[in-house]
Every structure is written in C-alpha cells, then in structure tokens.
Amino acid sequence: MNDDSNLPVHEGPDPALDRWLDGLGRFSPRQGFADRVVAQVRVPLPRWLRGLRNWGRGLVTGVTGWTLLAVASLATAATWGSMLAVGMRYDTVVREGVSISWAEASAMVRAAATDTFVVPAGEVLVAGERWLAATGLPVRGLLIAYGITIMVSAIVLWWLMAEPARTRV
C-alpha cells in the first residue's frame, strides 16, 4: 500500500468506465475479516527451527512430558520440604542470618545508589547552574523555550500521526 495518487494509465477520460465504476458498490468486509484472513496465512519455518520445535514438543508432551513434570514436582517438593525442615530446626540462626544479610545488602544497595545516581546527578546540576550563570541566560526564558519546543513537537507528532484524508472511509 502506498499514498501515491492513482493516476490513469491513459491520458483521456473514459466516461463509460467511470459510470460503470461509480455504479459498483464499495466492498465492506464483515467484522473479523482481517483476523480470518491472517489466521489462514502460514509462514514456513526453516528446517533447523522446525527440528527444534518438534524436539521441544516431544519433550513436553506424552509420556516424556508427564515424566519430566512428575520429576520436577518431586524435586520442588523435596527442596521446599528440606528448606522448611532446616528453617524450623535452626530458626534463630536463620532469623539472625536474614537480619544480618538484609542489613548488609540494603547498606550496599544504598551506597551503590548514592555513588551511581545521587553524586553524579548533583555534579551535573552544579555544572549546569555554573554554565547558566556563566552564559548569562535567564533560566525562566530557557524553561519557556523548552515548554514551547515540547508543545510544538507534540503538535507536529500529532499531525504526522493523523490518518491521511484519502484513506478515511
């Protein structure tokens, strides 16, 4: 599909053809027509991808699939049961360990966040303030110009995204 105008292939008008085409009704497909058409489209997969798909299907269907599901379920139940038994046996040690681990992890995350985000952001703000002071530009004027730029960009984007008049029905 393109947005070029449909020009006739010959120079002169053809009134008989124009009357005949005007007499035809427009095609108006029913609801869901595009979905039904796209559902019938088949895109063949490459051979290696078909083999991988069939291998995966064979792995998770039939007896093999049920066997893997049962083994994974038993392993999960055994892991959670062991963890629960150890947690109940050594509950004070677990609580103290979690408390210490949480305190250490949160302190490490706080320090990393400060070093990664807060300090550089403060340095950028200070550098920006110094640059504005050195140039003598009014901050209020820059903010107004920035706001106007945002509004113009939004209007142009809205205008560019509008549906062309010749495609509207």
Side-chain angles (χ1 to χ4, degrees):
M1 181 177 137
N2 60 25
D3 289 332
D4 297 336
S5 60
N6 295 324
L7 298 175
V9 292
H10 64 290
E11 295 298 323
D14 188 356
L17 179 63
D18 291 340
R19 281 192 307 276
W20 182 75
L21 288 174
D22 286 339
L24 293 175
R26 288 182 170 242
F27 177 67
S28 179
R30 292 191 317 249
Q31 185 73 21
F33 174 77
D35 294 332
R36 289 193 308 273
V37 169
V38 171
Q40 299 301 320
V41 174
R42 299 287 180 236
V43 179
L45 294 173
R47 179 176 291 165
W48 66 271
L49 195 54
R50 280 192 308 249
L52 186 65
R53 179 194 61 192
N54 294 337
W55 175 78
R57 281 184 180 167
L59 192 63
V60 296
T61 57
V63 175
T64 307
W66 284 108
T67 304
L68 285 176
L69 179 64
V71 168
S73 298
L74 288 173
T76 303
T79 303
W80 278 102
S82 300
M83 185 182 69
L84 186 62
V86 168
M88 289 174 64
R89 171 70 175 92
Y90 300 105
D91 63 337
T92 56
V93 175
V94 170
R95 280 191 210 133
E96 291 173 5
V98 167
S99 175
I100 292 169
S101 298
W102 178 256
E104 292 292 324
S106 62
M108 186 173 61
V109 167
R110 253 186 266 117
T114 300
D115 292 343
T116 305
F117 299 112
V118 177
V119 172
E123 291 172 357
V124 167
L125 286 175
V126 168
E129 287 175 355
R130 288 182 185 158
W131 178 78
L132 279 175
T135 59
L137 293 173
V139 177
R140 183 176 292 162
L142 286 175
L143 290 176
I144 290 171
Y146 185 65
I148 290 171
T149 304
I150 290 173
M151 292 300 295
V152 167
S153 298
I155 290 170
V156 168
L157 182 63
W158 174 75
W159 180 69
L160 287 173
M161 297 297 292
E163 184 179 357
R166 65 177 157 257
T167 61
R168 292 186 198 136
V169 179

